[in-house]
């Protein structure tokens, strides 16, 4: 008994040491862009993969990466955070193309990759289908982070994230069915596939909806930010576990719960301060989990295995990229026919090139049963393709956006806001100087010198701001939008204070928001 207890403590200590080592390396990588400015050109997640590859080359293995670790520990919070921040209004506008990409796109990808591997690489059809299913889930974390940094149009981010959220579930469902083929546990046919698809998706949506709406109405009963924050964490993991136990798709369940809590529960059951706390909490969780996952993806690479299967990796890449292009072009054309909101060719190009593969693909490949004869070949192929998409496609997305003129004006807006902030601060300094003009002990000459310095700097800032206004007239509308958001925040926070003090028993909708919406003409796409 004592021996078992001692062994358990030793295992726990070893696991804790490995976890702290991974975390220390990840956080060290996070500081590199602050020390060396050149590293700022590389998205943080891709930098982690590169460092992981360096550790793998030196044969330093931080921890063994198991599929259960990714799917159970890492996947639920990543899915929930993305769904929490995805606005239903944006999703609803592009629900048709997103569903087309996530459903038909997955089918096209699996079939195309499987045929390519079967015909040109000589793999058995069952093995080829497993590789296709593993690589059918997109993971554009690095790309969407780059989108936000560069101010890329919000619709492109919504399309990319929406497709990723839903095709994760489709990929897991397809893989679960296809993994039974080489073991003789499944029959390849349209009817059994559709029955299983509707069953796992239906269970996921039903349980996710029940948990999401249940927590939404429960949080109406109290105002305890830390409890509500904890409930969202429990919801993410609890939904995944319950749905999986019931035979459904945990991925679909978590996405459903996150969408409901982010768009409905956070509005009816949380005041603005709590919503901010919960959003910041999930931003931290996403950063924390991604820091570990992407480092471990690079660290788990076996270079010898990649070299042995380089031909298969090349064929898989070619087939996958070709099928991705066909799927995006055909399904976008279909979407453009069926709905008024069009997806232009430059955005389609970015959707094609930005369809990176990541942690879900790795987890699915690692979960192939050991009884499957070509398991190591499947894992090596998936790792090779994932690394190519993360490094080559991930690092070339920014030049592609520049070439297609899809870069937003976020850097310009940030510079403009900094100028306005400095002007406001210096005006306050000038006001303060006027108040201390008669303070005893201050020499008039020193006072005038300080006043002149401040006025000259304000004059310089005003000239630079006027120059930006003349060169970029749209900045004026940005300033108006910023003021509108500030007014909305003041109004919403006032309602929240009234609810907490007992003046109101429920939060009111911001009047300014409603008034603004009624005055704006509808936007035509």
């Amino acid at each position: 008994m004592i021996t078992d207890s001692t062994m358990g403590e030793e295992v726990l200590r070893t696991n804790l040491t490995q976890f702290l080592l991974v975390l220390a390396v990840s956080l060290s990588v996070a500081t590199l862009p602050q020390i060396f400015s050149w590293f700022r050109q590389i998205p943080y997640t891709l930098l982690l993969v590169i460092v992981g590859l360096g550790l793998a080359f030196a044969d330093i293995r931080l921890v063994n990466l198991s599929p259960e670790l990714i799917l159970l520990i890492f996947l639920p919070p990543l899915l929930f955070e993305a769904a929490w921040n995805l606005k239903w209004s944006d999703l609803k506008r592009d629900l048709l193309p997103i569903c087309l990409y996530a459903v038909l796109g997955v089918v096209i990808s699996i079939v195309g990759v499987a045929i390519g591997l079967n015909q040109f690489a000589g793999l058995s059809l069952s093995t080829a289908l497993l590789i296709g299913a593993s690589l059918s889930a997109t993971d554009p974390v690095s790309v969407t982070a780059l989108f936000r940094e560069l101010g890329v149009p919000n619709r492109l981010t919504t399309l990319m994230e929406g497709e990723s959220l839903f095709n994760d579930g489709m990929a897991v469902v397809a893989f679960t069915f296809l993994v039974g083929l080489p073991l003789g546990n499944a029959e390849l046919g349209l009817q059994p596939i559709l029955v299983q698809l509707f069953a796992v998706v239906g269970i996921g949506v039903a349980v996710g909806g029940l948990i999401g709406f249940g927590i939404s109405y429960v949080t109406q009963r109290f105002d305890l930010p830390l409890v509500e924050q904890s409930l969202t964490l429990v919801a993410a993991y609890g939904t995944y576990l319950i749905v999986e136990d019931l035979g459904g798709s945990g991925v679909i369940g978590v996405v459903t719960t996150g969408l409901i809590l982010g768009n409905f529960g956070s509005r009816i059951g949380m005041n603005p301060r709590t919503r901010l706390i919960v959003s910041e909490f999930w931003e931290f969780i996403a950063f924390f989990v991604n820091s570990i996952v992407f480092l471990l993806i690079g660290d788990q690479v076996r270079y010898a295995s990649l070299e042995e299967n380089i031909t298969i990796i090349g064929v898989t890449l070619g087939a996958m990229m070709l099928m991705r292009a066909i799927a995006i072009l055909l399904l976008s054309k279909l979407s453009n026919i069926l709905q008024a909101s069009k997806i232009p060719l430059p955005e389609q190009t970015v959707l094609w090139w930005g369809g990176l593969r990541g942690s879900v693909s790795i987890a699915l490949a690692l979960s192939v049963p050991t009884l499957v004869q070509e398991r190591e070949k499947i894992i090596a192929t998936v790792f090779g393709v994932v690394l190519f998409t993360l490094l080559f496609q991930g690092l070339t997305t920014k030049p592609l956006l520049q070439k297609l003129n899809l870069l937003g004006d976020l850097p310009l807006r940030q510079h403009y806001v900094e100028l306005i902030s400095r002007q406001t601060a210096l005006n306050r300094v000038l006001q303060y100087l006027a108040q201390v003009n008669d303070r005893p002990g201050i020499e008039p000459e020193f006072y005038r010198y300080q006043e002149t310095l401040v006025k000259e700097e304000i004059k310089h800032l005003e000239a630079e701001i006027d120059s930006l206004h003349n060169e970029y007239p749209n900045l004026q509308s940005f300033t108006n939008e910023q003021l509108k958001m500030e007014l909305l925040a003041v109004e919403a926070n006032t309602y929240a204070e009234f609810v907490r003090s007992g003046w109101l028993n429920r939060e009111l909708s911001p009047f300014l928001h409603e008034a603004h919406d009624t005055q704006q003409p509808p936007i035509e796409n």
Side-chain angles (χ1 to χ4, degrees):
M1 189 72 173
I2 296 177
T3 304
D4 291 342
S5 176
T6 304
M7 290 178 60
E9 290 178 1
E10 187 62 31
V11 170
L12 180 62
R13 181 185 295 274
T14 302
N15 290 337
L16 181 59
T17 302
Q18 290 179 330
F19 171 75
L20 292 176
L21 179 60
V22 172
L23 190 58
V25 173
S26 300
L27 296 179
S28 299
V29 174
T31 62
L32 286 178
Q34 306 304 319
I35 300 173
F36 305 102
S37 59
W38 183 84
F39 285 109
R40 295 172 191 169
Q41 304 298 319
I42 306 175
Y44 169 60
T45 49
L46 299 187
L47 195 58
L48 286 166
V49 175
I50 294 171
V51 172
L53 288 171
L55 293 173
F57 184 77
D59 201 25
I60 300 174
R61 308 296 176 178
L62 298 175
V63 68
N64 289 326
L65 191 64
S66 67
E68 291 79 11
L69 188 68
I70 295 178
L71 291 177
L72 181 59
I73 305 300
F74 295 151
L75 192 56
L78 290 176
L79 292 169
F80 186 91
E81 187 271 341
W84 170 275
N85 290 310
L86 191 60
K87 293 182 180 178
W88 172 248
S89 57
D90 294 337
L91 181 63
K92 183 172 62 174
R93 178 192 60 196
D94 288 311
L95 191 59
L96 176 62
I98 286 173
C99 289
L100 289 174
Y101 298 151
V103 179
L104 296 181
V106 166
V107 174
I108 293 172
S109 176
I110 294 174
V111 172
V113 170
I115 292 174
L117 287 172
N118 181 252
Q119 296 297 317
F120 298 102
L123 293 183
S124 64
L125 185 59
S126 58
T127 300
L129 284 169
L130 282 178
I131 293 175
S134 299
L135 292 170
S136 61
T138 57
D139 186 11
V141 172
S142 305
V143 173
T144 52
L146 188 67
F147 283 0
R148 295 189 182 95
E149 179 185 339
L150 299 175
V152 172
N154 184 58
R155 187 190 185 196
L156 194 53
T157 305
T158 301
L159 287 169
M160 193 79 77
E161 286 189 329
E163 179 198 1
S164 174
L165 282 174
F166 290 108
N167 75 8
D168 281 354
M170 288 297 302
V172 172
V173 170
F175 180 87
T176 304
F177 180 84
L178 293 173
V179 78
L181 289 178
L183 301 176
N185 299 329
E187 180 184 352
L188 190 60
L190 182 60
Q191 184 175 353
I193 292 176
L194 291 177
V195 170
Q196 184 171 355
L197 176 63
F198 283 115
V200 295
V201 172
I203 293 172
V205 172
V207 175
L210 184 64
I211 293 176
F213 284 116
I215 292 178
S216 298
Y217 286 111
V218 166
T219 52
Q220 279 187 306
R221 305 293 180 180
F222 51 81
D223 181 20
L224 298 171
L226 293 179
V227 173
E228 295 173 70
Q229 174 181 291
S230 302
L231 277 175
T232 60
L233 185 62
V234 172
Y237 283 105
T239 302
Y240 187 87
L241 291 172
I242 292 172
V243 173
E244 287 290 320
D245 287 343
L246 293 175
S249 169
V251 173
I252 297 295
V254 174
V255 169
T256 303
T257 302
L259 283 172
I260 292 172
L261 289 176
N263 291 274
F264 178 72
S266 64
R267 303 299 170 186
I268 71 163
M270 300 179 185
N271 62 49
R273 176 173 168 268
T274 302
R275 283 199 297 270
L276 180 61
I277 290 174
V278 174
S279 296
E280 290 178 344
F281 168 74
W282 280 104
E283 183 180 357
F284 161 73
I285 292 293
F287 167 79
F288 184 81
V289 173
N290 277 317
S291 298
I292 297 173
V293 169
F294 282 91
L295 178 67
L296 293 181
I297 286 177
D299 187 52
Q300 295 299 303
V301 169
R302 300 292 190 270
Y303 287 100
S305 182
L306 293 182
E307 186 178 353
E308 291 174 4
N309 296 279
I310 191 66
T311 302
I312 299 176
I313 293 173
V315 173
T316 305
L317 272 170
M320 188 186 73
M321 297 300 294
L322 177 61
M323 289 301 103
R324 176 75 179 171
I326 292 173
I328 292 296
L329 290 173
L330 288 181
L331 298 177
S332 297
K333 186 175 182 62
L334 179 60
S335 173
N336 290 344
I337 293 173
L338 296 176
Q339 70 174 23
S341 181
K342 310 297 182 184
I343 303 175
L345 186 59
E347 294 189 2
Q348 295 178 33
T349 305
V350 175
L351 289 171
W352 163 62
W353 192 250
L356 279 58
R357 271 58 172 179
S359 56
V360 176
S361 295
I362 295 292
L364 292 177
L366 289 173
S367 66
V368 173
T370 54
L371 295 175
V372 177
Q373 293 182 354
E374 297 180 304
R375 179 177 186 272
E376 294 305 318
K377 191 171 294 186
I378 294 171
I379 293 173
T381 303
V382 171
F383 260 98
V385 172
V386 167
L387 288 177
F388 177 87
T389 63
L390 287 176
L391 296 178
F392 186 73
Q393 291 178 243
L395 292 174
T396 54
T397 298
K398 182 177 179 180
L400 177 64
L401 291 168
Q402 292 173 329
K403 186 72 175 177
L404 297 175
N405 294 320
L406 286 174
L407 287 183
D409 58 355
L410 186 60
L412 173 64
R413 292 187 178 193
Q414 289 175 338
H415 178 59
Y416 179 72
V417 169
E418 288 173 2
L419 293 177
I420 295 293
S421 300
R422 290 180 60 194
Q423 183 189 38
T424 303
L426 289 177
N427 278 323
R428 291 185 181 180
V429 169
L430 204 59
Q431 294 172 6
Y432 184 77
L433 276 174
Q435 295 173 6
V436 300
N437 185 21
D438 299 329
R439 178 182 293 179
I442 296 180
E443 297 180 2
E445 184 176 348
F446 179 76
Y447 173 86
R448 287 193 295 270
Y449 174 70
Q450 294 296 328
E451 185 181 40
T452 302
L453 281 179
V454 174
K455 286 183 176 179
E456 284 296 323
E457 182 62 21
I458 291 175
K459 185 177 179 181
H460 172 74
L461 290 171
E462 288 175 346
E464 191 170 356
I465 291 170
D466 289 340
S467 175
L468 286 177
H469 280 161
N470 294 331
E471 189 174 357
Y472 305 100
N474 290 336
L475 282 176
Q476 192 63 52
S477 62
F478 168 67
T479 306
N480 295 338
E481 188 66 22
Q482 287 291 103
L483 177 60
K484 176 200 162 192
M485 297 304 296
E486 292 174 17
L487 296 176
L488 284 170
V490 171
E491 184 188 2
N493 287 332
T494 303
Y495 293 146
E497 291 176 9
F498 288 164
V499 171
R500 287 194 292 270
S501 65
W503 282 25
L504 294 172
N505 57 11
R506 67 181 182 88
E507 247 184 273
L508 302 179
S509 300
F511 168 77
L512 290 173
H513 190 276
E514 295 177 348
H516 176 81
D517 289 343
T518 58
Q519 292 172 4
Q520 293 296 322
I523 298 175
E524 296 182 0
N525 293 309

